[in-house]
Amino acid sequence: MILHILTTAPLSDAARQAEQAINPGDALLLIEEAVSAALQPDLDCWKQTDYPVFLLEEDLVARGFANAASHHRLATVDIEGFVQLTEQYEQSITWY
Amino acid sequence: MDKSEDLMVIIRHAPHNSNWLREGLDAALVAAAFGQSVRLLFMGQGALALCKEQQAGAPGQKATLPTIDMLEMYEIDQLNVPDQTLEELNIPLASLVNGVTPLSESQVKALFSQPRLIFNF
Amino acid sequence: MDYGLLVMGAPYSQPAPHSALRFAHAILARGHQLAGVFFYHDGVHNASSLMTPPQDELNIREAWKALHEQHGVPLDVCIAAALRRGVVSESEAARHGYTAFNLEAPFELTGLGQLLTLQQRCQRLITFAN
């Protein structure tokens, strides 16, 4: 099972490539520019149920999106939670 | 881990646009030289690295084709491109170098469903 | 657990090395080992000892150096990617007849084979790139 780490905006090429690679049981972690997905609760990634999706709290806060994420009830992890995800998932792939 | 395939290198960047392609292929070649069995998956713009008519670019932009041609010498013979990529780029398989295997959506997902070492460039 | 980091973004241009540094401290804080950081592609710029950010900004090279000094983390830089981008050690400068160099210990120029070794030795290799 793979932790997919996306660093680019939700509709970027890298985001679409991550979607081609992700399998049920994997997880998707949105960091850096990808946390702008917090502003778009209608994105496919928030509607599907095959894999969990998390936003990195520190990157949300830095960009001023933390309230948007909690308003839309989107899952977040802090940097320690990021480490825990890498403990839990044997492999990770970063999409950039 | 299946010894017959140690490493998958994903190439997602086109020639002449950055050094990602060159440095991604370098990683694949070094792994092969170290005796690892390597599969290359060309996604999105990365598939353009396989165009058989490509040449050198502006000054300092070396041609990629000689490196692609070298892959076979390093026993890297698994060159995969998703069908979806070929469709999106509107590039026929015949425009690419020989030996490229297109993969369906589910075949691409299957590549990621078994544990293997992966580098993503 | 043993972690390795692959850093492929340039400081001050891209978020990758800044994210990687934060992650490095977080894995150590959770009691894991950091077996090495490998700098490739534009990540080689992290090693430049001539980087001179304004005083109110973090000097990221110094931050990596501190990580090495406090936790013994090896800092390996891909030699081909570095030389191509003008990141040169004293011995490479001498070999090429240059009067200046900008890569010093604890950063080490090394081949891509070192990245493969790191990947095989670690239970987790996490990539930071843009």
Side-chain angles (χ1 to χ4, degrees):
Chain A
M1 293 200 303
I2 299 179
L3 174 66
H4 296 265
I5 303 166
L6 177 66
T7 72
T8 58
L11 302 176
S12 60
D13 283 355
R16 293 186 322 113
Q17 288 154 359
E19 202 185 323
Q20 280 177 265
I22 199 162
N23 280 292
D26 289 350
L28 178 63
L29 173 64
L30 307 176
I31 72 168
E32 298 173 358
E33 190 184 61
V35 297
S36 66
L39 305 175
Q40 297 164 267
D42 292 330
L43 287 171
D44 289 345
C45 75
W46 298 125
K47 291 178 171 169
Q48 57 76 38
T49 53
D50 287 340
Y51 51 86
V53 183
F54 305 96
L55 294 151
L56 184 63
E57 181 76 33
E58 282 82 350
D59 286 348
L60 281 174
V61 170
R63 287 162 181 76
F65 307 155
N67 283 331
S70 68
H71 176 72
H72 298 307
R73 300 175 190 280
L74 304 175
T76 64
V77 291
D78 61 8
I79 189 75
E80 190 183 5
F82 182 177
V83 177
Q84 286 174 308
L85 285 173
T86 64
E87 293 166 5
Q88 192 181 340
Y89 292 85
E90 271 179 45
Q91 260 191 300
S92 71
I93 304 178
T94 302
W95 300 90
Y96 53 91
Chain B
M1 202 160 295
D2 184 5
K3 179 70 192 114
S4 66
E5 197 177 297
D6 308 305
L7 179 70
M8 176 159 77
V9 177
I10 309 169
I11 301 285
R12 299 176 300 120
H13 291 82
H16 307 319
N17 216 34
S18 67
N19 222 41
W20 282 117
L21 171 59
R22 175 161 308 282
E23 293 184 343
L25 290 174
D26 280 352
L29 292 173
V30 169
F34 274 59
Q36 292 190 15
S37 168
V38 180
R39 173 190 294 271
L40 285 172
L41 174 63
F42 295 83
M43 298 180 91
Q45 294 285 310
L48 299 175
L50 298 168
C51 255
K52 64 183 175 194
E53 291 181 8
Q54 60 179 307
Q55 299 186 21
Q61 294 180 328
K62 282 172 69 178
T64 305
L65 210 49
T67 311
I68 298 289
D69 289 338
M70 230 157 60
L71 295 173
E72 208 179 347
M73 259 168 36
Y74 284 78
E75 293 178 3
I76 302 177
D77 48 15
Q78 288 291 339
L79 309 180
N80 295 145
V81 181
D83 289 330
Q84 190 181 335
T85 289
L86 296 174
E87 275 166 40
E88 284 174 0
L89 296 174
N90 193 29
I91 191 163
L93 195 57
S95 304
L96 305 184
V97 298
N98 290 331
V100 175
T101 311
L103 298 181
S104 69
E105 202 175 312
S106 60
Q107 286 173 315
V108 173
K109 286 208 185 281
L111 284 182
F112 292 90
S113 67
Q114 40 205 292
R116 53 155 63 81
L117 298 174
I118 295 174
F119 283 126
N120 194 7
F121 291 104
Chain C
M1 240 186 276
D2 279 345
Y3 277 76
L5 300 185
L6 170 59
V7 177
M8 302 196 286
Y12 315 112
S13 296
Q14 293 157 328
H18 305 268
S19 293
L21 190 61
R22 183 170 59 190
F23 187 79
H25 285 287
I27 52 180
L28 293 167
R30 274 188 64 81
H32 297 299
Q33 311 297 317
L34 184 49
V37 182
F38 191 90
F39 298 93
Y40 192 39
H41 197 261
D42 286 349
V44 299
H45 292 297
N46 283 276
S48 173
S49 45
L50 297 180
M51 77 169 64
T52 313
Q55 280 193 352
D56 63 346
E57 283 181 36
L58 175 76
N59 182 316
I60 204 157
R61 180 194 177 273
E62 293 304 315
W64 289 120
K65 188 178 167 200
L67 197 69
H68 170 84
E69 285 166 354
Q70 288 157 23
H71 303 280
V73 180
L75 304 172
D76 290 326
V77 181
C78 172
I79 186 166
L83 293 183
R84 192 181 264 149
R85 290 172 176 81
V87 177
V88 181
S89 65
E90 187 170 17
S91 63
E92 287 298 320
R95 186 199 315 274
H96 293 276
Y98 300 155
T99 53
F101 62 93
N102 60 346
L103 183 140
E104 300 168 74
F107 291 89
E108 299 275 351
L109 286 181
T110 179
L112 268 177
Q114 191 64 33
L115 171 61
L116 301 172
T117 307
L118 184 67
Q119 189 188 42
Q120 285 165 348
R121 206 174 72 226
C122 293
Q123 287 145 295
R124 299 288 185 270
L125 181 79
I126 315 294
T127 298
F128 290 88
N130 300 108

